[in-house]
Amino acid sequence: MAAAAPPHGIWVPVPTFFARKAAADYSPVSPPLDPDTQLSHAVFLANAGVRGLVLLGSTGEAVHVTRAERVALVKHLREGLAAAGFPAFPLMAGTAANSVDETAALLAASKEAGADYGLVLAPSYFAGVTSQEGVVAWFAAVAARSPMPILIYHYPGVSNNLKITPATVRTLAAHPNIVGAKFSHGDISAHCQVALDPAIDHERFALFTGLGQHLFPAVQVGVAGAIDGLAAFYPASMVRLFELASADEMGSKQREEARRIQWAASRAEELVVGCGVVGIKEAVARVCGFGDADGTRLPLLGGLGDQEWKRWEPVMAEMERVEKAVRSGGPLYSSLDGP
């Protein structure tokens, strides 16, 4: 029996929080996990209406976390979310290994700890000589060994520019244990070719964009939602944008609201695209108060710093106005020209 697709909507690729510098067990080389902050941020996002969390993806520094830490993090969030009133909140655990057996083992450990789906980064060490047939065979082998449904994670920026074509996705979408994909690139044509492909059963295969920058237009062509870094610190705005974009009918006021949110989000998302996990952690700390702005593991070193953040303040102030308006249920702005 084929597995079901993840719920459509906004998913958040959460950062992995590490202990603050003031903690007694802090180590500058490998700071330990900070499970309390991890759970507090997760509950904050769940209360904002996001559909699920992606743990241990690129934003979650999967390549910097041990298998034991992975299990502890997933287990802690599963139990903590249940205690906070979210017993069945969807969790997706990422992998970033190149071998089939190691990837399958990571998926099994995450499943046992409480994850519902696996987000599997394409193997990329030998990207220059990896054929599309090799990509298909690799993902099929992982899916066959995985105890939970998996999604294809196509992120050329961290995958040695490995290409995964829409035709390859079509082939993999037929596998009963492959239930979707995340495209973390700006090629909207590729999104269209997969989301609109009549050969794909879109009831059980969901394509998510990794960029809230183009959420509104992407949803118009059948994309199921976003796994979006901006939602880690402005979740209500992205949830509202998805609601507007996916509505069966949209009046002029709703269209204007969607445009207003998308304009602000597209500008703010430049921080996510340009600075990656470093920028996301900086924003989560400064905007929401969770974790340290420079709380990464080596070789990542330090945050953006005050001077660089100051450059982003006007953009974030605009996004903050949108977030507050969405949370209050009040009107945004009557035009795209400003408040």
Side-chain angles (χ1 to χ4, degrees):
M1 180 178 178
H8 293 197
I10 300 300
W11 289 65
V12 181
V14 295
T16 297
F17 293 95
F18 301 114
R20 297 173 183 266
K21 291 181 179 179
D25 57 350
Y26 178 79
S27 163
V29 174
S30 188
L33 299 179
D34 181 355
D36 292 339
T37 299
Q38 195 79 54
L39 179 58
S40 296
H41 184 238
V43 172
F44 162 75
L45 295 173
N47 280 320
V50 305
R51 295 306 304 271
L53 303 181
V54 175
L55 318 175
L56 303 158
S58 301
T59 301
E61 296 182 67
V63 294
H64 298 163
V65 178
T66 68
R67 187 176 300 186
E69 289 173 328
R70 160 189 294 270
V71 170
L73 187 150
V74 175
K75 189 172 186 293
H76 183 73
L77 284 194
R78 173 54 70 211
E79 294 174 351
L81 283 165
F86 300 96
F89 197 75
L91 298 179
M92 189 182 299
T95 69
N98 278 262
S99 104
V100 169
D101 291 338
E102 183 180 4
T103 302
L106 292 171
L107 290 167
S110 296
K111 169 66 175 175
E112 186 175 356
D116 303 293
Y117 305 93
L119 181 65
V120 179
L121 185 67
S124 59
Y125 189 87
F126 294 108
V129 291
T130 298
S131 65
Q132 293 302 294
E133 292 78 10
V135 171
V136 168
W138 189 91
F139 270 106
V142 168
R145 289 163 173 75
S146 176
M148 60 182 172
I150 69 168
L151 287 79
I152 303 158
Y153 186 14
H154 182 26
Y155 187 1
V158 300
S159 299
N160 207 9
N161 288 315
L162 177 72
K163 187 175 181 62
I164 299 180
T165 67
T168 292
V169 176
R170 175 195 289 180
T171 300
L172 289 170
H175 194 288
N177 209 29
I178 298 178
V179 295
K182 175 188 178 184
F183 282 4
S184 288
H185 58 68
D187 186 350
I188 197 69
S189 175
H191 286 75
C192 290
Q193 290 178 59
V194 172
L196 298 175
D197 190 341
I200 293 176
D201 180 359
H202 299 288
E203 292 295 319
R204 57 158 303 276
F205 184 91
L207 175 63
F208 294 86
T209 179
L211 297 176
Q213 279 184 317
H214 57 215
L215 177 63
F216 184 80
V219 171
Q220 305 313 300
V221 296
V223 170
I227 300 174
D228 175 56
L230 185 66
F233 46 105
Y234 291 123
S237 297
M238 301 312 293
V239 169
R240 177 58 178 160
L241 181 56
F242 176 78
E243 291 172 350
L244 291 165
S246 56
D248 290 335
E249 296 183 6
M250 182 182 296
S252 59
K253 289 184 178 180
Q254 289 77 24
R255 185 176 298 107
E256 184 68 16
E257 183 182 359
R259 288 172 173 173
R260 191 66 184 80
I261 298 173
Q262 184 66 80
W263 178 75
S266 293
R267 296 173 73 224
E269 192 99 29
E270 294 287 345
L271 173 72
V272 175
V273 174
C275 304
V277 61
V278 174
I280 293 171
K281 280 199 166 181
E282 185 92 28
V284 168
R286 290 183 183 263
V287 174
C288 306
F290 295 107
D292 282 341
D294 61 349
T296 52
R297 276 184 174 174
L298 295 174
L300 301 179
L301 186 62
L304 300 183
D306 291 342
Q307 183 173 354
E308 177 63 14
W309 180 257
K310 189 173 183 62
R311 189 171 72 84
W312 289 97
E313 283 180 345
V315 173
M316 295 304 158
E318 177 65 27
M319 194 69 217
E320 186 69 23
R321 284 193 288 270
V322 170
E323 182 81 359
K324 287 180 178 178
V326 170
R327 286 183 178 275
S328 70
L332 288 174
Y333 307 113
S334 59
S335 75
L336 297 178
D337 296 329

